[in-house]
Amino acid sequence: MVDDEEPEGEAKAEATGDPQDQGQEKTEVDFKDVGQDEVREAARTRQNALDRLHCTLEKLQDLDQLEEAVKLVEKAVADRQTRQPALIRQLAFYFSDGNLRRDRFLREKIVSSDDGFVPISVILPFNRLKLMGCSTRAEVCAAVEAAEAKFNLELSEQRDGIRRRGNVPPPPLSFGGPGSDFEKRSVQLAGFPTGATPEPSLEEVTQLCEPFGVVAFVRLLREVGSGGSSGTKPFAGRVEVEFQTEEAAVAQRLREVYEAKFAFPSWSCERLGEGSLEVYAQSVTVYYPQGAQLAEVKRLVREREPVNIGMKRRYDQQKMQEYFGYATGAYGRLSSSERLGPNLAVYCRTPMRAPDGRERDVHVINVIGFAFDKTQQPDYQYFLNHDDEDGRRAELVKKMSQMWEYIYFCAHEKKLKCVRLSQVGGGAFSLLLGGNFDYQALRKESLEPVMARYPEIETKELQFIPDWVFTPEGERCCSSSLLVNAWDPWSFVGNGNAGDNSLDGYFGRCTAMAVLCWPDTNPCLQLEDRYRLVPP
């Protein structure tokens, strides 16, 4: 019977030997003696406790939901970071010269915009972005901001548009055709799986084709007609691959010859491969003096050393010999203490790129100064290591006058109003000059008569390169100015580039002139009409 059973708590105390009950007198509570107020207070206390417990349980449930939400956010961020490199490459492809030569829709959007920006809302519906899972303006903005300068992408201040960095205009539409340059460099590959099988990525096709040449871009071809429920047309199992030009492959091989920090910019190879330097290549002009043999001039234009700083050659001479048939520059072979090879200059219109990726076209003439920085220089041996000091000084003034003539003759020929003049031969090259061969005296004596023959051309001092070009003054004046680079008799234009703190190095690190001014990477220089004889 229930009356004979012991209370549950007491039975447990005895069974377990609970210390709190041992050795203590048990007290029985008669609830009849408890007042109603106490009962109500106990009930309220119990309800409050239950309410707090219920609230705690709800908070724990909310916490679980929050943790799940955090996991979803972390996964979304990780997915975005994982696909960001591919998204950057895809955006760069949309705005590349290779794509814009055939993408009429996007090209018209760029051309019709006052500042070259294409709204991100126009780009987001593109099928490749949808297939990647990119659907927000924020993700596109983050990708453009993370993109290196070489991808040539720029975000608008309002963060709602993308354009080609520096607002570089797109190339003309060109769909190729029989015998065209594009047709010669392009192939179509068939046999890729279709249907439910995932279509190949651009990276996979590029890796497949790289053994056969440098890939400029890849296009997946799709079936004609409307797309499916996703709006994407089915993959046709074929891809179109455009390889870089032969000249671009040569340029990349040339870069291998340089010691790493002295190489010319890699973006000039990319632009060469896309074909977007063609219009610049056609501008290059070589100026040489009366009486020089054209064959020697051509040798001096081609057989140049990648880097020669103070007669230190910072390149692999063995590779230079293996790849291009010579190890050192022709200037040394055509000059001696009794004879100098012809002095020359090379004009070039080139894109100039700022450190932040902005670009602007500039007119540059690369003028070779006479080198008196080392006793082993041919110029030193010819002019200073000779008994007939007065005769050799007069000859040096005459040759320097010819050097300045190239500049003003070029400005007049190209219809440029201003010459931005540098101290050609007056920096490190003048180290061993002095006395009767003082550089400033030689410069004044040789330069002023030339300037007097061209009164219509204004002369100003060249400011720091590339900074000045991207100032408001540079923006106003670049199109009508001829910038004068102090070149080296031995080296490629740019000489040691980022590893060279001369004016030539600064020009080299921010332009494409190394590849534009060399015949192996600019076939235009193999044509005789690119060579202009300049009278004294």
Side-chain angles (χ1 to χ4, degrees), residues 263-504:
F264 56 86
S266 60
W267 62 261
S268 60
C269 290
E270 296 163 8
R271 294 284 298 272
L272 193 66
E274 295 171 353
S276 62
L277 291 182
E278 184 175 351
V279 65
Y280 301 100
Q282 294 172 0
S283 75
V284 179
T285 308
V286 178
Y287 298 98
Y288 68 97
Q290 190 171 2
Q293 297 180 27
L294 184 57
E296 285 192 350
V297 172
K298 288 184 175 181
R299 281 191 66 188
L300 286 167
V301 171
R302 181 183 183 269
E303 295 176 25
R304 305 196 70 81
E305 300 178 1
V307 188
N308 185 320
I309 301 175
M311 296 304 294
K312 292 182 179 179
R313 295 176 169 92
R314 310 302 296 267
Y315 65 95
D316 190 324
Q317 296 181 45
Q318 183 177 348
K319 281 187 177 180
M320 198 70 192
Q321 179 69 50
E322 177 186 349
Y323 292 167
F324 304 111
Y326 68 94
T328 58
Y331 190 62
R333 293 186 289 279
L334 295 176
S335 301
S336 68
S337 61
E338 298 302 322
R339 177 186 184 276
L340 287 178
N343 181 268
L344 53 86
V346 178
Y347 162 81
C348 179
R349 188 166 70 87
T350 177
M352 179 174 282
R353 182 172 290 188
D356 62 7
R358 288 177 295 161
E359 280 191 7
R360 183 159 293 146
D361 286 359
V362 293
H363 301 274
V364 183
I365 186 166
N366 302 284
V367 182
I368 295 175
F370 293 92
F372 299 100
D373 58 331
K374 299 289 181 180
T375 58
Q376 61 265 45
Q377 289 277 18
D379 296 334
Y380 180 93
Q381 292 292 324
Y382 183 81
F383 287 110
L384 299 186
N385 192 23
H386 201 278
D387 293 336
D388 185 11
E389 181 177 308
D390 291 339
R392 289 299 166 100
R393 185 188 186 281
E395 187 176 353
L396 178 56
V397 170
K398 183 178 179 180
K399 287 184 178 292
M400 288 180 66
S401 179
Q402 179 76 66
M403 177 186 78
W404 304 120
E405 183 72 28
Y406 295 146
I407 298 169
Y408 289 86
F409 183 92
C410 174
H412 176 78
E413 183 179 62
K414 307 296 181 184
K415 297 180 172 55
L416 300 172
K417 299 177 181 179
C418 181
V419 164
R420 304 275 169 172
L421 197 61
S422 61
Q423 298 280 329
V424 181
F429 274 2
S430 65
L431 184 64
L432 300 180
L433 289 177
N436 196 31
F437 284 83
D438 175 72
Y439 173 78
Q440 292 300 333
L442 291 166
R443 184 177 192 268
K444 178 181 176 66
E445 192 174 339
S446 60
L447 174 60
E448 288 186 353
V450 175
M451 293 175 58
R453 289 198 291 272
Y454 297 90
E456 75 282 7
I457 298 176
E458 186 180 10
T459 301
K460 291 189 175 183
E461 183 180 353
L462 181 68
Q463 302 299 309
F464 191 79
I465 295 297
D467 297 20
W468 174 81
V469 171
F470 298 93
T471 64
E473 182 189 17
E475 185 176 359
R476 291 193 308 271
C477 301
C478 265
S479 62
S480 61
S481 295
L482 179 62
L483 313 185
V484 180
N485 177 31
W487 195 13
D488 184 280
W490 296 90
S491 67
F492 277 73
V493 174
N495 205 350
N497 299 288
D500 178 0
N501 288 325
S502 70
L503 177 62
D504 195 19

Side-chain angles (χ1 to χ4, degrees), residues 151-360:
F151 290 106
N152 295 321
L153 298 173
E154 186 175 345
L155 190 65
S156 66
E157 290 185 6
Q158 295 76 22
R159 297 174 59 80
D160 59 358
I162 305 174
R163 73 178 180 188
R164 288 152 65 89
R165 190 179 292 274
N167 197 17
V168 176
L173 286 171
S174 173
F175 296 94
S180 68
D181 177 63
F182 166 74
E183 192 268 342
K184 292 176 182 177
R185 295 187 287 109
S186 300
V187 295
Q188 282 195 16
L189 305 178
F192 289 90
T194 58
T197 305
E199 60 188 45
S201 68
L202 302 181
E203 291 78 14
E204 290 170 337
V205 177
T206 299
Q207 291 174 5
L208 177 67
C209 296
E210 278 179 342
F212 306 101
V214 181
V215 176
F217 80 93
V218 174
R219 184 190 299 275
L220 303 186
L221 302 180
R222 301 190 177 277
E223 299 288 358
V224 178
S226 60
S229 58
S230 66
T232 303
K233 296 177 182 179
F235 175 51
R238 293 176 293 118
V239 298
E240 182 179 74
V241 180
E242 181 182 345
F243 290 94
Q244 285 189 351
T245 60
E246 181 181 350
E247 291 76 29
V250 171
Q252 292 201 335
R253 176 161 284 195
L254 176 62
R255 286 191 92 246
E256 296 175 14
V257 175
Y258 285 76
E259 291 183 18
K261 73 174 184 177
F262 297 98
F264 56 86
S266 60
W267 62 261
S268 60
C269 290
E270 296 163 8
R271 294 284 298 272
L272 193 66
E274 295 171 353
S276 62
L277 291 182
E278 184 175 351
V279 65
Y280 301 100
Q282 294 172 0
S283 75
V284 179
T285 308
V286 178
Y287 298 98
Y288 68 97
Q290 190 171 2
Q293 297 180 27
L294 184 57
E296 285 192 350
V297 172
K298 288 184 175 181
R299 281 191 66 188
L300 286 167
V301 171
R302 181 183 183 269
E303 295 176 25
R304 305 196 70 81
E305 300 178 1
V307 188
N308 185 320
I309 301 175
M311 296 304 294
K312 292 182 179 179
R313 295 176 169 92
R314 310 302 296 267
Y315 65 95
D316 190 324
Q317 296 181 45
Q318 183 177 348
K319 281 187 177 180
M320 198 70 192
Q321 179 69 50
E322 177 186 349
Y323 292 167
F324 304 111
Y326 68 94
T328 58
Y331 190 62
R333 293 186 289 279
L334 295 176
S335 301
S336 68
S337 61
E338 298 302 322
R339 177 186 184 276
L340 287 178
N343 181 268
L344 53 86
V346 178
Y347 162 81
C348 179
R349 188 166 70 87
T350 177
M352 179 174 282
R353 182 172 290 188
D356 62 7
R358 288 177 295 161
E359 280 191 7
R360 183 159 293 146

